[in-house]
Amino acid sequence: MDFSTLSELYSKLENESSGNKLREILAEFFLSTNKEEPTLLPTLTYLSLGKIAPDYKNSVLGIAEKLLLKAIAKAANKGSKETMTLMQKDGDVGLVAQKLLKVKPMTLVPVAKLTVEELWKTLHKIKSISGNKSQDTKEKILISLFQKTTGSEAKYLARIILQNMRLGVADMTVLDALAIAFTGEKSNKKILERAYNVCPDLAVIASSLVELGLEGIGDIPIKVGRPIRVMLAQRVASLSGVSEKISGELQVEAKYDGERIQIHKDSSGKITLYSRRMEDITYQYPDVQSFLKQEIAKTAQSYILEGEIMALDLEKGGHKNFQTLMKRKRKTEIEKHAKQIPVAIYCFDILLLNEKNLMNESFTVREKALESILKKKDRIRRIEFIKTNEVSEAKAYFDKMIARGEEGVIIKSQGEGSLYKAGARDWNWIKWKKDYNHELVDTFDLVVIGAFYGKGKRSGTYGSLLCATYNHETDTFESISKLGTGLTDKMLEEIPFLLRKHEVDKKPARCNVKKEMTPDLWFEPYLVVEVIAAEITKGGLHTCSMHSVMNKSTGKKEMKGYALRFPRLIQIRADKKPEDGTYSEEIVGIANN
Ligand code: ATP
């Protein structure tokens, strides 16, 4: 397939403002690919997003903007001054490439067209290049790639290389499109998503769907070395509400505020650590790898464990805060920081042991398996917990945790149906945090989809942000709040910097916003922020779970959505993807509680 065909797809997606059409365009593309060049389908599930592999395989190309601009200028036979002037004006390497390579560059030897297969191979080659001459080698490869492109092809090629497509599509959109293309029904995405929860690799999902059909897709096994989407907890309005959701004995576990980690060990001894976003973070924790080798029973040949990683205070005992732990998130001086900030893992679940999938076993069975392999419990510890039949005891345990400075508790069911539900926010786990005791309702993780310019003290920067919840049913981002409070001077510097590369010139197709709420700037869903609010209200301004409501005084039906009252920004949540933000469905649940 010529790259120009893929480039046409990008152009259609970029210009589309309807979310449904976006999915149809992708579906059509997958169908025709499967007819004409079926072997390319898995590759194209990723390339359609501008990616070269699933996120968990660390598909980062690591090409700096500067190097890319240099290569584009050389491919186009243009000077660096002209290139930099264009860059200053447009602020987007893609547009610069499009302008500089408006016509095919002159080369001594005629060059063939760029094909998708060649692009795929070359991108993987770039990723594998390291060493002291690597910059030169990469530059040469980039020049030859750009010499094979013109106009918008060059624009999209630059965006693929910088891994910033600005198309507003994500893995969930591809699942929708695969469901439409190969089952004729978008609603079958649910079945594909269940498979994706245990196998977050679109290429595997696409080829399994084509080969095995919908019936076979459920048989994709869990695999050590391929992360599983994490299970999450529900929330209740009051602790007494727990008994309506969980019957029988409760397991009340400490909820520590650290970093969630999923640990995979295969039978050859290879250990891989995944973050909550399913990114491979093994290199950050060499100390954890040796603790695991020393402290987990040798009988555990292979396993998948889950736990919370915490920074330890070895002098005073107890834990250091989340900010201290975040200092371990670095690419250099890793060993030095491992010594300075010692950590422990508090395990709370096990999903696989010696190749046996434990996800469909009850919590009690998984707990026994977990206990059986934790030997020394020095740095690989069990999370603290109590077992009780009484909600009052759960409350007392929660108070004890809060007094000690922990975040709260997670109450877990031990009943028959207490399976590990990958990717689900499930009632078998209920969280109760210290925020819930305040007059403020709760915190929400919202996606920034727009910004309004500031006035007065904030002129020249953002005055407020347009924030959205994620509607998981429809794969859309629905506005819920205009957020101006809590933005510190530091955040007002940091947020525009983070969003600069995600600005788009019109409403992204997957965003659902009323005309009255049109912001000055649009962003593709990227940044997640944690927001606290006093109340959830219903009104006519936002689209969060919008539904028709009878206006009692006029007797007419009106469309109303949920909104947040007195929202205040607390922090940026870099650990969450837009699709990990608060679901619109959750807002409905909390509002009606
Ligand atoms: P928050 O915003 O509170 O961090 P979240 O949306 O990240 O929440 P929740 O469903 O609220 O996720 O809470 C689950 C998180 O709590 C897990 O991702 C994990 O990192 C952490 N955690 C701490 N202790 C436990 C525990 N005992 N069991 C499960 N998760 C725990």
Side-chain angles (χ1 to χ4, degrees):
M1 181 186 285
D2 283 344
F3 178 60
S4 58
T5 311
L6 185 58
S7 185
E8 271 164 36
L9 169 78
Y10 294 142
S11 170
K12 281 190 201 155
L13 294 176
E14 190 176 14
N15 293 316
E16 187 50 66
S17 57
S18 143
N20 284 336
K21 293 233 177 77
L22 195 82
R23 292 175 187 95
E24 279 161 24
I25 295 169
L26 261 181
E28 229 170 81
F29 179 74
F30 291 149
L31 255 186
S32 68
T33 303
N34 194 46
K35 253 186 224 138
E36 283 151 33
E37 297 188 69
T39 52
L40 268 187
L41 181 69
T43 307
L44 284 165
T45 54
Y46 279 108
L47 270 186
S48 64
L49 299 173
K51 292 186 195 176
I52 61 161
D55 294 340
Y56 74 86
K57 286 194 178 156
N58 271 357
S59 57
V60 181
L61 284 175
I63 302 280
E65 208 172 84
K66 217 168 131 196
L67 176 68
L68 184 57
L69 279 169
K70 210 165 132 198
I72 293 168
K74 285 193 182 167
N77 292 324
K78 300 283 171 162
S80 61
K81 209 167 159 205
E82 183 183 350
T83 312
M84 288 327 286
T85 314
L86 270 181
M87 186 60 200
Q88 266 157 12
K89 190 168 148 268
D90 292 325
D92 173 0
V93 188
L95 292 180
V96 175
Q98 185 173 20
K99 286 181 184 167
L100 290 183
L101 288 157
K102 211 160 37 187
V103 288
K104 214 170 192 119
M106 295 281 286
T107 47
L108 290 175
V109 187
V111 286
K113 277 184 169 177
L114 179 63
T115 65
V116 167
E117 292 86 339
E118 185 189 355
L119 175 70
W120 182 257
K121 267 195 209 138
T122 315
L123 294 174
H124 280 274
K125 187 171 169 197
I126 292 178
K127 190 176 167 265
S128 66
I129 297 171
S130 59
N132 46 10
K133 289 244 168 84
S134 63
Q135 293 304 88
D136 292 347
T137 320
K138 284 180 186 172
E139 189 187 309
K140 275 190 201 125
I141 296 176
L142 290 174
I143 295 171
S144 73
L145 275 182
F146 278 99
Q147 279 173 336
K148 294 178 181 175
T149 62
T150 40
S152 59
E153 289 167 33
K155 170 171 94 176
Y156 295 119
L157 177 60
R159 288 186 179 170
I160 293 174
I161 290 164
L162 283 182
Q163 304 193 292
N164 181 15
M165 293 301 285
R166 306 190 197 213
L167 294 177
V169 282
D171 286 22
M172 289 301 132
T173 331
V174 170
L175 290 185
D176 265 331
L178 289 173
I180 298 169
F182 300 110
T183 76
E185 273 294 331
K186 192 178 139 210
S187 58
N188 285 328
K189 180 223 181 166
K190 280 197 191 114
I191 301 173
L192 300 192
E193 193 179 349
R194 248 176 268 145
Y196 178 87
N197 286 339
V198 294
C199 167
D201 186 330
L202 293 172
V204 176
I205 303 281
S207 41
S208 307
L209 182 61
V210 171
E211 275 162 38
L212 311 170
L214 263 189
E215 294 74 36
I217 200 102
D219 296 335
I220 300 179
I222 62 168
K223 205 171 112 185
V224 180
R226 186 167 68 195
I228 292 164
R229 282 182 96 195
V230 295
M231 176 168 169
L232 294 166
Q234 280 284 8
R235 40 185 150 192
V236 277
S238 72
L239 259 185
S240 57
V242 168
S243 44
E244 283 165 34
K245 302 290 181 188
I246 301 179
S247 55
E249 203 178 27
L250 308 170
Q251 168 122 339
V252 188
E253 295 187 352
K255 185 179 196 304
Y256 295 151
D257 190 13
E259 178 178 19
R260 186 166 186 161
I261 197 156
Q262 197 175 83
I263 307 162
H264 289 229
K265 184 197 156 229
D266 70 16
S267 48
S268 76
K270 184 174 177 225
I271 291 172
T272 319
L273 309 176
Y274 295 105
S275 72
R276 177 188 163 143
R277 288 182 68 141
M278 300 191 292
E279 283 157 348
D280 184 341
I281 51 168
T282 318
Y283 70 95
Q284 276 174 13
Y285 295 110
D287 45 345
V288 168
Q289 294 176 57
S290 34
F291 299 145
L292 287 161
K293 282 180 193 147
Q294 288 156 24
E295 297 186 27
I296 300 272
K298 295 279 175 284
T299 49
Q301 297 281 317
S302 61
Y303 54 76
I304 303 179
L305 296 181
E306 269 197 349
E308 194 80 352
I309 188 158
M310 294 290 292
L312 297 178
D313 188 336
L314 291 182
E315 274 168 34
K316 295 190 199 135
H319 306 134
K320 291 202 170 159
N321 60 20
F322 181 70
Q323 282 69 28
T324 309
L325 178 69
M326 284 304 102
K327 291 188 189 143
R328 292 283 310 258
K329 291 220 152 293
R330 51 191 311 118
K331 298 229 158 74
T332 55
E333 298 188 304
I334 287 176
E335 296 286 350
K336 183 176 137 196
H337 282 81
K339 283 206 184 88
Q340 282 172 359
I341 306 165
V343 297
I345 296 204
Y346 290 87
C347 298
F348 52 72
D349 221 317
I350 181 162
L351 316 188
L352 175 141
L353 181 58
N354 292 330
E355 295 311 309
K356 185 174 182 322
N357 178 350
L358 298 177
M359 287 177 33
N360 296 324
E361 303 290 343
S362 72
F363 182 78
T364 337
V365 172
R366 300 203 304 278
E367 191 183 28
K368 261 197 205 135
L370 179 59
E371 269 299 340
S372 75
I373 65 164
L374 297 184
K375 286 296 171 209
K376 214 165 147 202
K377 295 187 181 163
D378 178 19
R379 295 301 186 85
I380 308 296
R381 306 173 181 178
R382 178 88 174 88
I383 198 103
E384 282 176 80
F385 63 89
I386 57 159
K387 287 185 193 282
T388 175
N389 279 318
E390 305 296 330
V391 170
S392 59
E393 281 183 28
K395 170 78 171 79
Y397 192 67
F398 165 78
D399 290 338
K400 185 175 150 191
M401 289 302 132
I402 296 301
R404 253 179 35 190
E406 312 300 357
E407 201 182 18
V409 292
I410 298 206
I411 303 168
K412 296 183 179 174
S413 160
Q414 299 181 73
E416 289 270 300
S418 54
L419 320 179
Y420 186 95
K421 296 198 186 139
R425 202 171 271 288
D426 193 82
W427 284 110
N428 279 325
W429 287 13
I430 296 176
K431 58 182 169 178
W432 188 251
K433 299 202 289 190
K434 59 174 175 272
D435 303 337
Y436 304 176
N437 272 353
H438 296 162
E439 78 278 18
L440 296 170
V441 172
D442 206 344
T443 63
F444 307 95
D445 297 317
L446 305 181
V447 182
V448 181
I449 56 170
F452 300 88
Y453 289 129
K455 292 190 189 114
K457 226 179 95 197
R458 292 214 184 139
S459 71
T461 179
Y462 301 163
S464 52
L465 304 171
L466 183 64
C467 297
T469 48
Y470 179 56
N471 187 324
H472 175 246
E473 278 296 305
T474 56
D475 181 35
T476 52
F477 293 88
E478 303 177 322
S479 86
I480 186 170
S481 179
K482 199 171 162 182
L483 173 73
T485 313
L487 291 152
T488 59
D489 289 349
K490 194 170 159 253
M491 280 177 180
L492 282 171
E493 256 177 49
E494 195 181 355
I495 292 176
F497 178 76
L498 289 172
L499 288 173
R500 193 171 52 101
K501 292 200 170 134
H502 299 276
E503 192 185 323
V504 285
D505 55 11
K506 58 179 181 341
K507 183 188 78 59
R510 288 199 300 154
C511 294
N512 194 356
V513 174
K514 287 212 163 177
K515 248 202 199 119
E516 305 89 293
M517 272 292 145
T518 304
D520 297 316
L521 302 170
W522 286 108
F523 305 113
E524 64 166 343
Y526 165 72
L527 185 72
V528 180
V529 291
E530 190 174 334
V531 173
I532 197 160
E535 210 183 334
I536 297 171
T537 56
K538 250 188 223 178
L541 283 176
H542 290 287
T543 54
C544 172
S545 284
M546 197 160 60
H547 56 286
S548 114
V549 175
M550 176 74 81
N551 181 325
K552 282 187 191 135
S553 47
T554 62
K556 282 188 186 154
K557 285 196 167 169
E558 289 171 0
M559 293 304 280
K560 297 222 159 168
Y562 291 92
L564 297 183
R565 206 156 153 247
F566 303 136
R568 180 161 55 81
L569 194 151
I570 304 173
Q571 59 174 339
I572 293 169
R573 291 292 305 249
D575 59 329
K576 293 199 174 181
K577 291 183 186 173
E579 288 79 6
D580 295 332
T582 301
Y583 285 4
S584 303
E585 297 91 312
E586 276 181 77
I587 298 284
V588 181
I590 300 165
N592 296 328
N593 232 318

